[in-house]
Amino acid sequence: MLLHLSIRNILLIEQVDLDFGPGLNVLTGETGAGKSILLDSLGFVLGWRGRAELVRSGAEFGEVIAQFDLSDDHPALAVLESAGLGFEGDLILRRINNPDGRKRAFLNDRPVSSDVLRALSQTLVEIHGQHDDRGLLDPKGHKNLLDVFAENQSALAQTGKTCSILRQAQSALANAQKQLELDAADKDFMIHALAELETLAPRIGEDTALDTERRRMQSAERIRADIEKGHQLLGSAETMLLDGQRWLEDVSSVAEGGLDSSIDALSRAMIEITEAQHGVAAVLQGLEFSPYDLEQIEERLFAIRAMARKYEVQADELPNLLADFSEKLRRIDLDTDHLADLQKSVETASEAYQIAADTLSERRQKAAKKLDRAMQGELAPLKMDRAQFTTNVIKDDTAKPSPDGFDSVFFTVATNPGAPAGPIDKIASGGELSRFLLALKVCLTTRSDGLTLIFDEIDRGVGGATADAVGRRLAAVAKDTQTLVVTHSPQVAAMGASHFLVSKSVKLGQTTTKVIGLNAAQRRDEIARMLAGDTVTDAARAAADALLG
């Protein structure tokens, strides 16, 4: 509920402080007095987009403060929580506008963005008037209005939940189908490649090992002949040394020991030559290989390298490529089975969504008839008993699943029997439009959920008994929901629990709008003025007394 509105230096208002109460609060005044400025100011503090220049001429800045009392379960609390804003006591919004257009906003003295203000405003205030294109006259909002009337929160939640599950299942199926198509497109290639790689059976490090062995064999062919020749020469040298040793030993006794050291040296030389022969023989043995072995190694090495070039990988990556192809082929087989499971999940989710959407649609159909009957009951006291209001619920089973079901909802009216039905704002005249909107709001008001309702001259174009009926319906709305009414109708003004007078004066060339709360006597005079015009007569005062009851 809106408790207080304080306005400083906004347009024609220098200073206004208003305390609003529960029930019906009426604002009256002559045309042009500035009643719309109050709504502009309230819209400004709530973050609505409006006039660019609001600061009163000559003022340093303009300021509007709005104080709201919230219940413990008020929807505004969810907005505050999502914005990370703590809350205690009353909700106080303050917004400042500088002459250069810069704006600052505060929530309980904490800086806050305009986006947060606008989100809060949707839970705090709802304005209706002849130019209401954001609420009752906007076909885009009719479905939501019907759902609120039908109390479809649970059915909507179930439909939204099943829609989300269905979309997830459809997405999983689509992704799996896409991946399977990509894999299946290369299946024949992978089967052929896997067969090639399995036949080759490459091993990590095999390319390097084969290349090393091949180089060793190729080197052995080049040096074997030289080693063998050296081995042969060592054998010849051994024979020659043995012969020389025997010749020297035969004559050593005659030489009387002069040859002993030489003979010993030859013995040692023979030992060294023998060791050299053994070493060379061992090397020759290690160089022994079959030319066939070299041919086999080269064939294997070339096959591995050719396969690596074919699949554009390094030779050591071939074993991993073989494993990758094998896994992809295995996955294709598994994905085929998985695809069937996903398809079944989509079918199951689709059935659940269909049931939820059908249930929601049935509730809307029933609620539409109930709303139409309620509207007819409200239109009769408003002197529109021959008008027809219809809530159209069109179900489209071919539509793409959405969280709010398959239905489209829109309101149509016919003002006279036999006349064609059409959108409210296209068919109804000004006065009829006001009454249609009022009747609809009366039907929906018990679902307003903490909103302060504002009706801006919704009684325009009606008078007499009709105006009295409008006033009584507004009073009925105000029993459950705080209601503010800007009115020119004395019959409506007389229904108010609180009455505010908007007036305009000019002093020293400066125009100023003032708003004051009226006491009982002042209220009587204002209603008399509304009845009589400039000259208030005793008859007008008596009529005012009659209206005030």
Side-chain angles (χ1 to χ4, degrees):
M1 183 175 75
L2 177 62
L3 297 177
H4 182 78
L5 185 66
S6 177
I7 306 171
R8 298 289 186 276
N9 297 318
I10 296 293
L11 296 173
L12 299 180
I13 295 177
E14 181 177 3
Q15 178 176 339
V16 164
D17 292 286
L18 300 176
D19 292 313
F20 296 99
L24 184 62
N25 295 259
V26 298
L27 294 95
T28 64
E30 295 183 358
T31 301
K35 295 184 293 296
S36 63
I37 298 178
L38 291 175
L39 301 185
D40 289 337
S41 299
L42 183 59
F44 170 71
V45 77
L46 291 172
W48 297 349
R49 294 181 176 88
R51 302 186 191 183
E53 299 177 356
L54 289 174
V55 181
R56 179 177 169 83
S57 177
E60 294 183 5
F61 61 89
E63 179 186 63
V64 180
I65 300 174
Q67 180 179 357
F68 290 87
D69 173 40
L70 304 184
S71 61
D72 293 338
D73 59 349
H74 197 285
L77 299 180
V79 177
L80 294 172
E81 182 178 356
S82 65
L85 297 170
F87 174 75
E88 291 184 4
D90 293 338
L91 178 67
I92 300 176
L93 304 178
R94 180 166 66 99
R95 200 171 187 213
I96 298 171
N97 191 15
N98 293 318
D100 60 5
R102 289 184 297 111
K103 299 175 179 64
R104 291 176 293 154
F106 302 87
L107 189 155
N108 288 15
D109 288 330
R110 296 177 61 182
V112 68
S113 69
S114 297
D115 289 338
V116 172
L117 289 182
R118 283 191 288 271
L120 279 172
S121 75
Q122 296 178 10
T123 69
L124 297 171
V125 171
E126 187 173 276
I127 293 183
H128 300 285
Q130 294 194 82
H131 304 292
D132 177 9
D133 57 358
R134 298 188 309 127
L136 304 179
L137 299 186
D138 183 5
K140 294 179 181 178
H142 290 178
K143 186 190 297 186
N144 180 62
L145 291 173
L146 179 61
D147 285 331
V148 171
F149 177 79
E151 299 181 349
N152 279 340
Q153 293 84 349
S154 177
L156 274 170
Q158 182 64 17
T159 304
K161 179 180 178 181
T162 56
C163 181
S164 177
I165 294 173
L166 175 58
R167 287 178 176 177
Q168 291 175 5
Q170 289 173 331
S171 178
L173 176 61
N175 291 335
Q177 287 174 329
K178 183 178 180 180
Q179 186 61 52
L180 184 61
E181 289 172 1
L182 292 173
D183 291 341
D186 295 330
K187 184 176 181 179
D188 292 340
F189 163 76
M190 286 189 289
I191 291 174
H192 172 73
L194 184 62
E196 278 190 330
L197 289 167
E198 287 179 336
T199 300
L200 182 63
R203 300 184 302 276
I204 295 176
E206 186 178 7
D207 175 81
T208 301
L210 289 172
D211 185 63
T212 300
E213 182 65 12
R214 174 173 173 259
R215 291 177 184 277
R216 189 189 68 80
M217 287 183 174
Q218 289 175 335
S219 298
E221 285 186 321
R222 292 193 299 271
I223 66 173
R224 183 179 181 80
D226 292 338
I227 295 174
E228 285 179 341
K229 186 176 181 180
H231 191 263
Q232 291 172 359
L233 289 173
L234 287 173
S236 299
E238 182 183 23
T239 299
M240 292 175 67
L241 288 174
L242 283 171
D243 289 344
Q245 186 179 21
R246 284 196 297 271
W247 282 102
L248 292 175
E249 285 176 346
D250 287 345
V251 298
S252 63
S253 59
V254 180
E256 298 180 353
L259 294 174
D260 290 346
S261 60
S262 297
I263 291 171
D264 290 339
L266 286 173
S267 295
R268 293 193 301 271
M270 286 295 297
I271 293 172
E272 295 294 332
I273 288 176
T274 299
E275 289 181 359
Q277 282 182 313
H278 289 163
V280 172
V283 171
L284 283 173
Q285 186 177 1
L287 293 175
E288 289 181 358
F289 64 89
S290 168
Y292 176 75
D293 292 338
L294 176 59
E295 181 180 345
Q296 289 294 101
I297 287 175
E298 288 183 334
E299 286 183 359
R300 176 71 176 171
L301 180 62
F302 295 157
I304 289 174
R305 291 181 174 177
M307 194 73 74
R309 287 193 299 273
K310 179 176 181 179
Y311 293 110
E312 299 180 346
V313 296
Q314 298 296 320
D316 278 353
E317 295 175 2
L318 288 173
N320 292 333
L321 186 64
L322 186 154
D324 185 48
F325 284 151
S326 178
E327 174 62 23
K328 284 185 177 180
L329 287 171
R330 186 187 70 84
R331 192 175 65 203
I332 289 175
D333 293 335
L334 289 177
D335 283 352
T336 301
D337 296 335
H338 183 51
L339 206 64
D341 293 337
L342 290 176
Q343 182 64 50
K344 186 175 181 180
S345 296
V346 169
E347 293 172 358
T348 301
S350 181
E351 290 174 0
Y353 174 76
Q354 187 70 49
I355 291 173
D358 285 344
T359 299
L360 179 59
S361 185
E362 290 172 3
R363 289 182 61 89
R364 284 172 176 157
Q365 295 285 354
K366 292 179 181 178
K369 294 178 181 178
K370 184 178 179 180
L371 178 58
D372 292 348
R373 289 194 298 269
M375 280 293 291
Q376 292 308 124
E378 289 298 329
L379 289 172
L382 295 174
K383 312 305 179 184
M384 295 186 68
D385 50 306
R386 304 183 67 184
Q388 293 292 321
F389 176 92
T390 305
T391 305
N392 301 274
V393 181
I394 309 300
K395 183 179 179 182
D396 183 3
D397 290 326
T398 64
K400 184 178 179 181
S402 90
D404 59 357
F406 294 130
D407 303 320
S408 60
V409 178
F410 56 94
F411 302 142
T412 58
V413 300
T415 55
N416 294 293
I424 298 178
D425 57 336
K426 304 296 183 183
I427 297 297
S429 65
E432 292 170 335
L433 177 61
S434 299
R435 284 175 281 169
F436 272 120
L437 293 180
L438 178 57
L440 187 53
K441 199 58 198 177
V442 170
C443 294
L444 298 175
T445 188
T446 57
R447 283 90 171 173
S448 294
D449 204 15
L451 285 170
T452 291
L453 301 181
I454 299 177
F455 292 91
D456 183 15
E457 298 188 15
I458 200 167
D459 54 352
R460 178 179 293 179
V462 299
T466 302
D468 181 69
V470 169
R472 293 183 185 281
R473 303 321 293 159
L474 286 169
V477 171
K479 288 180 179 179
D480 299 312
T481 302
Q482 183 190 44
T483 305
L484 277 64
V485 178
V486 177
T487 181
H488 287 283
S489 169
Q491 292 90 340
V492 172
M495 297 293 175
S498 300
H499 193 149
F500 301 89
L501 175 63
V502 183
S503 62
K504 183 170 63 176
S505 63
V506 179
K507 186 176 181 181
L508 300 176
Q510 186 77 23
T511 303
T512 302
T513 291
K514 293 184 178 181
V515 186
I516 59 172
L518 302 182
N519 58 32
Q522 292 169 328
R523 186 181 182 196
R524 176 196 183 213
D525 288 343
E526 170 60 9
I527 292 176
R529 180 200 64 77
M530 296 173 72
L531 287 166
D534 293 336
T535 303
V536 178
T537 63
D538 290 339
R541 291 188 179 91
D545 289 335
L547 287 177
L548 290 169

